[in-house]
């Protein structure tokens, strides 16, 4: 029995990562006589847009040759950094960066219990950096490694919101003036928290004090009629999208779908939470409204289950969370074969490095549909030289080499992550009956 009075055992400090021994490289690496080796995997926290970005830089023994990726899970960024600093990064030291698929599998299996957003974003940051590095070594834009372009640029959608249909319609018109042909519209619901609007509990600090509940009945009563009114005001020549943000149960979702049938939506996003995904088959069969889902999926298998029918029309894949471009490309190919289009996730918590990597997929995949385009704050371009901004309602991939976006470490330090980390954004939301509401 240990002596209870003995000095307490000091916990392993975060500075003492559990560094596994560098395992032997893949058997074929020596045969190839390749000389480039990974010398470091570094992580950087910065917040030029306000939300935390976690940057991954994979460095090599070739002067000036490095790759950059984004591992940003804004709700768990410190956990992702620990996976990178203590486990995944040290496993790569001394390895040949060329064998991306082999390294992806090695990292994926190194944790034994696979999956989840924390692991996904850690692997995603490294994977995007390795693809960036490979393209740089070849002196080519990243999309050329995926078979080259099938389109000039990626059609993008921007976000507008408002307190009433008239305000929303005015903002849609302004977005069209800026060249957007696709606009996501979110409308406030009086007395209810409403995702993506000024009343969004997670978005407005003031709303946190009000602790406005989510009222699904009020949302059902208000938003379908408001969307119809917006359509009347803006006409048919603009594509309208709406994000339900997983806040309805299957019965409410069925009713909401029925009520928006004549709005002519380009897609309706996250009509159900991932936990209710088995209901998509019936909803999709019963309505012509295109359905988009996937930003919350951390495992490609979650998409595969919906592609057999298919039970969705758009896959909202989030490249960092899925584990990077290696799994995302396979998913894009499956979507192409199943007639499902890509609508990759891309608000500001997907940083410019991941956005540029996703763009390489967008312009090279025949399955592409539309790309979510973050309206980054001006400071973002200072931290990430080469940040892509929408022009004429589309995002054009940088010429490269690589994905074409860099990272300025000094500028990043001028935009530290706010303390305490606002990781509670999605823990504040409750329904009218006081129960915790899915965000
Ligand atoms: C979207 C998403 C985001 C998420 C955010 C979570 O469609 O862009 O719903 O707004 O809420 O990425 O961190
Ligand atoms: Mg969404």
């Amino acid at each position: 029995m240990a002596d209870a009075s003995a000095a307490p055992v000091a916990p392993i400090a975060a500075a003492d990562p559990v560094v596994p021994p560098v395992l032997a490289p893949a058997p074929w690496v020596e045969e190839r006589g390749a000389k480039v080796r990974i010398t470091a995997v570094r992580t950087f926290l910065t917040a030029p847009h306000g939300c935390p970005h976690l940057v991954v830089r994979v460095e090599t023994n070739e002067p000036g040759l490095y790759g950059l990726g984004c591992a940003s899970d804004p709700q768990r960024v410190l956990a992702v950094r620990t996976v990178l600093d203590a486990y995944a990064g040290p496993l790569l030291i001394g390895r040949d960066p060329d064998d991306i698929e082999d390294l992806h599998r090695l990292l994926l299996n190194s944790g034994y219990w696979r999956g989840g957003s924390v692991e996904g974003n850690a692997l995603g940051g490294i994977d995007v950096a390795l693809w960036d590095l490979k393209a740089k070594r070849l002196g080519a834009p990243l999309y050329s490694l995926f078979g080259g372009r099938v389109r000039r640029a990626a059609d993008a959608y921007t976000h507008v919101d408002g307190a009433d249909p008239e305000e929303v319609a005015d903002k849609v018109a302004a977005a069209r003036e800026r060249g957007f042909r696709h606009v996501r519209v979110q409308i406030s619901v009086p007395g209810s928290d409403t995702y993506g609007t000024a009343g969004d509990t997670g978005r407005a600090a003031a709303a946190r004090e009000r602790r406005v509940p989510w009222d699904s009945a009020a949302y059902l009563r208000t938003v379908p009629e408001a969307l119809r009114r917006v359509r009347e005001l803006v006409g048919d020549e603009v594509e309208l999208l709406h994000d339900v943000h997983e806040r309805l149960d299957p019965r409410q979702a069925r009713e909401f779908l029925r009520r928006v049938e004549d709005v002519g939506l380009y897609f309706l996003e996250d009509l159900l939470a991932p936990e209710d995904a088995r209901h998509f088959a019936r909803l999709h069969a019963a309505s012509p409204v295109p359905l988009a889902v996937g930003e919350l999926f951390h495992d490609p298998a979650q998409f595969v289950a919906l592609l057999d029918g298919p039970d969705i029309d758009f896959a909202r894949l989030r490249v960092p969370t899925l584990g990077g471009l290696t799994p995302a490309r396979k998913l894009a190919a499956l979507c192409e074969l199943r007639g499902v289009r890509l609508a990759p996730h891309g608000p500001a918590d997907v940083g410019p490095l991941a956005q540029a990597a996703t763009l390489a997929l967008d312009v090279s995949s025949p399955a592409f549909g539309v790309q979510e385009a973050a309206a980054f704050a001006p400071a973002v371009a200072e931290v990430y030289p080469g940040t892509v901004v929408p022009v004429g309602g589309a995002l054009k991939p940088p010429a490269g080499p690589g994905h074409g976006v860099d990272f300025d470490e000094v500028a990043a330090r001028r935009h530290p992550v706010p303390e305490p980390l606002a990781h509670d954004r999605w823990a504040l939301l409750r329904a009218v009956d006081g129960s915790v509401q899915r965000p």
Side-chain angles (χ1 to χ4, degrees):
M1 175 76 161
D3 171 3
S5 62
V9 176
I12 294 179
D16 304 335
V18 179
V19 182
V22 173
L23 304 180
W28 55 84
V29 171
E30 297 314 323
E31 295 156 17
R32 188 168 56 207
K35 296 293 177 239
V36 177
R37 289 291 182 275
I38 294 169
T39 54
V41 176
R42 299 195 196 287
T43 56
F44 305 87
L45 267 176
T46 182
H49 187 85
C51 54
H53 286 168
L54 179 61
V55 172
V56 180
R57 187 168 70 201
V58 176
E59 298 173 356
T60 70
N61 57 347
E62 198 154 296
L65 179 64
Y66 59 88
L68 290 167
C70 164
S72 305
D73 171 337
Q75 281 73 237
R76 291 292 181 269
V77 75
L78 298 180
V80 179
R81 186 173 62 171
T82 299
V83 171
L84 285 160
D85 291 351
Y87 303 104
L91 269 178
L92 294 185
I93 307 305
R95 294 186 187 278
D96 179 345
D98 202 48
D99 298 325
I100 298 176
E101 181 77 39
D102 180 64
L103 295 177
H104 186 84
R105 291 164 59 78
L106 178 150
L107 291 174
L108 189 67
N109 291 285
S110 69
Y112 192 69
W113 282 279
R114 300 178 274 287
S117 174
V118 171
E119 191 82 14
N121 276 282
L123 270 56
I126 288 176
D127 187 80
V128 165
L130 291 173
W131 278 106
D132 182 35
L133 213 161
K134 182 186 276 280
K136 284 173 174 173
R137 286 177 74 184
L138 296 169
L142 181 53
Y143 54 75
S144 71
L145 276 60
F146 301 161
R149 289 156 76 148
V150 295
R151 60 183 55 78
R152 183 177 45 257
D155 266 353
Y157 73 86
T158 191
H159 298 174
V160 303
D161 69 277
D164 53 51
E166 287 67 24
E167 182 185 359
V168 171
D170 289 346
K171 291 182 180 178
V172 169
R176 292 186 69 188
E177 287 292 311
R178 299 198 312 273
F180 285 100
R181 293 175 295 285
H182 301 76
V183 183
R184 186 189 83 174
V185 297
Q186 303 296 122
I187 300 164
S188 298
V189 175
S192 170
D193 177 281
T194 323
Y195 162 74
T197 69
D200 180 338
T201 297
R203 194 166 107 171
R208 286 195 166 143
E209 301 320 309
R210 291 202 312 271
R211 295 192 182 284
V212 175
W214 159 254
D215 183 342
S216 52
Y219 175 80
L220 268 172
R221 275 197 314 272
T222 309
V223 172
E225 179 50 39
L227 288 172
R228 230 192 325 272
R229 180 70 183 126
V230 169
R231 176 56 82 192
E232 280 168 18
L233 291 167
V234 302
D236 294 334
E237 291 174 17
V238 58
E239 299 289 6
L240 298 179
L241 303 74
H242 178 67
D243 191 348
V244 178
H245 216 260
E246 66 164 336
R247 295 201 178 168
L248 297 179
D249 66 33
R251 177 190 57 78
Q252 293 165 334
R254 195 165 59 245
E255 179 55 22
F256 187 86
L257 209 46
R258 189 185 65 77
R259 294 187 187 187
V260 297
E261 205 152 285
D262 57 355
V263 176
L265 289 172
Y266 181 78
F267 69 52
L268 191 62
E269 178 183 356
D270 281 355
L271 179 61
L272 291 172
E275 295 86 345
D276 292 330
R278 66 190 171 286
H279 290 270
F280 273 119
R282 189 154 46 93
L283 291 173
H284 190 256
S287 167
V289 178
L291 301 178
V293 69
E295 69 176 56
L296 280 153
F297 289 1
H298 50 78
D299 183 340
Q302 291 174 283
F303 284 101
V304 174
L306 294 174
L307 292 181
D308 278 343
D311 304 332
I312 57 173
D313 301 277
F314 290 87
R316 289 273 289 137
L317 50 91
R318 188 176 195 272
V319 168
T321 303
L322 279 177
L325 285 165
T326 299
R329 293 181 61 226
K330 296 171 185 174
L331 180 61
L334 190 55
C335 286
E336 183 184 340
L337 296 173
R338 290 285 197 277
V340 172
R341 288 193 286 167
L342 309 182
H345 186 243
D349 60 50
V350 173
L353 298 166
Q355 184 197 59
T358 305
L359 268 181
L361 189 58
D362 294 345
V363 297
S364 60
S365 166
F368 173 74
V370 71
Q371 171 65 51
E372 183 173 15
F376 287 124
V380 169
E382 175 200 346
V383 175
Y384 301 98
T387 293
V388 182
V389 291
V391 175
L395 291 163
K396 204 168 180 185
H403 53 48
V405 177
D406 206 349
F407 171 65
D408 182 331
E409 199 179 323
V410 174
R413 280 200 284 272
R414 288 196 288 271
H415 304 282
V417 174
E419 294 291 342
L421 271 173
H423 62 79
D424 62 350
R425 172 180 183 189
W426 301 116
L428 296 169
L429 191 58
R430 290 191 178 267
V432 173
D433 67 0
S435 58
V436 171
Q437 172 61 41
R438 282 174 181 149

